[in-house]
Short mmCIF file of all heavy atoms in Angstrom, two decimals:
data_model
loop_
_atom_site.label_atom_id
_atom_site.label_comp_id
_atom_site.label_asym_id
_atom_site.label_seq_id
_atom_site.Cartn_x
_atom_site.Cartn_y
_atom_site.Cartn_z
N LYS B 104 23.93 -29.02 1.74
CA LYS B 104 24.60 -30.24 2.22
C LYS B 104 23.98 -31.46 1.58
O LYS B 104 22.89 -31.39 1.01
CB LYS B 104 24.54 -30.33 3.75
CG LYS B 104 23.16 -30.26 4.34
CD LYS B 104 23.27 -30.19 5.88
CE LYS B 104 21.96 -29.76 6.51
NZ LYS B 104 22.08 -29.40 7.92
N GLY B 105 24.69 -32.57 1.72
CA GLY B 105 24.16 -33.84 1.21
C GLY B 105 24.36 -34.04 -0.29
O GLY B 105 23.89 -35.03 -0.84
N ASN B 106 25.04 -33.11 -0.94
CA ASN B 106 25.27 -33.24 -2.39
C ASN B 106 26.63 -33.87 -2.67
O ASN B 106 27.60 -33.62 -1.94
CB ASN B 106 25.23 -31.85 -3.04
CG ASN B 106 23.98 -31.08 -2.69
OD1 ASN B 106 22.87 -31.53 -2.97
ND2 ASN B 106 24.14 -29.92 -2.06
N ASP B 107 26.71 -34.63 -3.74
CA ASP B 107 28.02 -35.18 -4.10
C ASP B 107 28.80 -34.21 -4.98
O ASP B 107 28.27 -33.18 -5.42
CB ASP B 107 27.89 -36.57 -4.76
CG ASP B 107 27.15 -36.52 -6.09
OD1 ASP B 107 26.90 -35.42 -6.60
OD2 ASP B 107 26.83 -37.60 -6.61
N LEU B 108 30.06 -34.54 -5.19
CA LEU B 108 30.94 -33.64 -5.94
C LEU B 108 30.39 -33.36 -7.34
O LEU B 108 30.44 -32.22 -7.82
CB LEU B 108 32.35 -34.23 -6.02
CG LEU B 108 33.42 -33.36 -6.69
CD1 LEU B 108 33.57 -32.02 -5.99
CD2 LEU B 108 34.77 -34.10 -6.71
N ALA B 109 29.85 -34.40 -7.98
CA ALA B 109 29.33 -34.23 -9.34
C ALA B 109 28.24 -33.15 -9.38
O ALA B 109 28.15 -32.39 -10.36
CB ALA B 109 28.78 -35.55 -9.86
N PHE B 110 27.44 -33.06 -8.32
CA PHE B 110 26.40 -32.03 -8.25
C PHE B 110 27.01 -30.64 -8.35
O PHE B 110 26.59 -29.79 -9.15
CB PHE B 110 25.61 -32.18 -6.94
CG PHE B 110 24.67 -31.03 -6.66
CD1 PHE B 110 23.36 -31.04 -7.16
CD2 PHE B 110 25.07 -29.94 -5.90
CE1 PHE B 110 22.49 -29.99 -6.91
CE2 PHE B 110 24.22 -28.88 -5.65
CZ PHE B 110 22.92 -28.90 -6.15
N TYR B 111 28.01 -30.39 -7.52
CA TYR B 111 28.63 -29.05 -7.52
C TYR B 111 29.37 -28.77 -8.84
O TYR B 111 29.32 -27.66 -9.37
CB TYR B 111 29.60 -28.91 -6.35
CG TYR B 111 28.91 -28.99 -5.00
CD1 TYR B 111 29.09 -30.09 -4.17
CD2 TYR B 111 28.07 -27.97 -4.56
CE1 TYR B 111 28.46 -30.18 -2.94
CE2 TYR B 111 27.43 -28.05 -3.33
CZ TYR B 111 27.62 -29.15 -2.52
OH TYR B 111 26.99 -29.23 -1.31
N LEU B 112 30.06 -29.78 -9.34
CA LEU B 112 30.82 -29.59 -10.58
C LEU B 112 29.89 -29.30 -11.75
O LEU B 112 30.19 -28.46 -12.61
CB LEU B 112 31.70 -30.81 -10.89
CG LEU B 112 32.77 -31.15 -9.85
CD1 LEU B 112 33.68 -32.26 -10.37
CD2 LEU B 112 33.59 -29.93 -9.44
N HIS B 113 28.75 -29.96 -11.76
CA HIS B 113 27.77 -29.71 -12.82
C HIS B 113 27.25 -28.27 -12.74
O HIS B 113 27.13 -27.57 -13.76
CB HIS B 113 26.62 -30.71 -12.70
CG HIS B 113 25.54 -30.51 -13.72
ND1 HIS B 113 25.72 -30.83 -15.06
CD2 HIS B 113 24.30 -29.98 -13.62
CE1 HIS B 113 24.62 -30.52 -15.72
NE2 HIS B 113 23.74 -30.00 -14.88
N GLN B 114 26.96 -27.83 -11.53
CA GLN B 114 26.48 -26.46 -11.31
C GLN B 114 27.54 -25.44 -11.79
O GLN B 114 27.21 -24.48 -12.49
CB GLN B 114 26.23 -26.30 -9.81
CG GLN B 114 25.29 -25.20 -9.42
CD GLN B 114 25.01 -25.24 -7.91
OE1 GLN B 114 25.93 -25.35 -7.10
NE2 GLN B 114 23.75 -25.10 -7.55
N LEU B 115 28.78 -25.70 -11.41
CA LEU B 115 29.86 -24.79 -11.83
C LEU B 115 29.98 -24.76 -13.35
O LEU B 115 30.16 -23.69 -13.95
CB LEU B 115 31.19 -25.25 -11.21
CG LEU B 115 31.38 -24.96 -9.72
CD1 LEU B 115 32.54 -25.76 -9.16
CD2 LEU B 115 31.59 -23.46 -9.49
N GLU B 116 29.88 -25.91 -13.96
CA GLU B 116 30.06 -26.00 -15.40
C GLU B 116 28.93 -25.31 -16.17
O GLU B 116 29.17 -24.62 -17.16
CB GLU B 116 30.15 -27.48 -15.80
CG GLU B 116 30.68 -27.68 -17.21
CD GLU B 116 30.78 -29.16 -17.57
OE1 GLU B 116 30.50 -30.02 -16.72
OE2 GLU B 116 31.14 -29.43 -18.74
N GLU B 117 27.71 -25.52 -15.68
CA GLU B 117 26.55 -24.89 -16.33
C GLU B 117 26.70 -23.37 -16.34
O GLU B 117 26.48 -22.70 -17.35
CB GLU B 117 25.26 -25.22 -15.55
CG GLU B 117 24.82 -26.65 -15.65
CD GLU B 117 23.92 -26.87 -16.86
OE1 GLU B 117 22.81 -26.31 -16.88
OE2 GLU B 117 24.36 -27.60 -17.79
N VAL B 118 27.05 -22.83 -15.19
CA VAL B 118 27.19 -21.37 -15.08
C VAL B 118 28.37 -20.88 -15.91
O VAL B 118 28.27 -19.89 -16.63
CB VAL B 118 27.33 -20.94 -13.60
CG1 VAL B 118 27.56 -19.45 -13.51
CG2 VAL B 118 26.08 -21.33 -12.81
N ARG B 119 29.47 -21.61 -15.84
CA ARG B 119 30.65 -21.18 -16.60
C ARG B 119 30.39 -21.23 -18.11
O ARG B 119 30.82 -20.33 -18.85
CB ARG B 119 31.86 -22.05 -16.22
CG ARG B 119 33.17 -21.74 -16.98
CD ARG B 119 33.62 -20.27 -16.86
NE ARG B 119 33.72 -19.75 -15.52
CZ ARG B 119 34.84 -19.75 -14.79
NH1 ARG B 119 35.95 -20.23 -15.27
NH2 ARG B 119 34.85 -19.21 -13.58
N ASN B 120 29.68 -22.25 -18.56
CA ASN B 120 29.39 -22.33 -20.00
C ASN B 120 28.58 -21.12 -20.45
O ASN B 120 28.78 -20.60 -21.55
CB ASN B 120 28.65 -23.62 -20.33
CG ASN B 120 29.60 -24.82 -20.34
OD1 ASN B 120 30.81 -24.65 -20.46
ND2 ASN B 120 29.03 -26.01 -20.20
N ARG B 121 27.69 -20.64 -19.59
CA ARG B 121 26.93 -19.44 -19.94
C ARG B 121 27.86 -18.22 -19.99
O ARG B 121 27.73 -17.36 -20.87
CB ARG B 121 25.80 -19.23 -18.90
CG ARG B 121 24.89 -18.10 -19.27
CD ARG B 121 23.51 -18.20 -18.61
NE ARG B 121 22.73 -17.04 -18.98
CZ ARG B 121 22.45 -16.02 -18.16
NH1 ARG B 121 22.84 -16.04 -16.90
NH2 ARG B 121 21.75 -14.98 -18.60
N THR B 122 28.83 -18.16 -19.09
CA THR B 122 29.80 -17.06 -19.14
C THR B 122 30.58 -17.08 -20.45
O THR B 122 30.77 -16.05 -21.10
CB THR B 122 30.78 -17.16 -17.95
OG1 THR B 122 30.04 -17.04 -16.73
CG2 THR B 122 31.84 -16.06 -18.00
N TYR B 123 31.02 -18.27 -20.84
CA TYR B 123 31.75 -18.39 -22.11
C TYR B 123 30.90 -17.85 -23.27
O TYR B 123 31.42 -17.18 -24.17
CB TYR B 123 32.12 -19.85 -22.39
CG TYR B 123 33.21 -20.42 -21.52
CD1 TYR B 123 33.18 -21.75 -21.11
CD2 TYR B 123 34.30 -19.64 -21.12
CE1 TYR B 123 34.20 -22.30 -20.33
CE2 TYR B 123 35.31 -20.18 -20.31
CZ TYR B 123 35.25 -21.51 -19.93
OH TYR B 123 36.25 -22.06 -19.16
N GLU B 124 29.62 -18.17 -23.26
CA GLU B 124 28.73 -17.69 -24.33
C GLU B 124 28.55 -16.18 -24.25
O GLU B 124 28.66 -15.47 -25.25
CB GLU B 124 27.36 -18.39 -24.25
CG GLU B 124 27.36 -19.81 -24.77
CD GLU B 124 27.96 -19.92 -26.17
OE1 GLU B 124 27.53 -19.17 -27.07
OE2 GLU B 124 28.88 -20.75 -26.36
#
Side-chain angles (χ1 to χ4, degrees):
Chain B
K104 55 187 165 192
N106 307 301
D107 64 10
L108 184 58
F110 170 88
Y111 296 110
L112 298 188
H113 178 72
Q114 202 174 47
L115 285 165
E116 194 179 357
E117 290 272 294
V118 176
R119 178 56 53 93
N120 283 341
R121 186 158 178 253
T122 299
Y123 288 145
E124 283 308 309

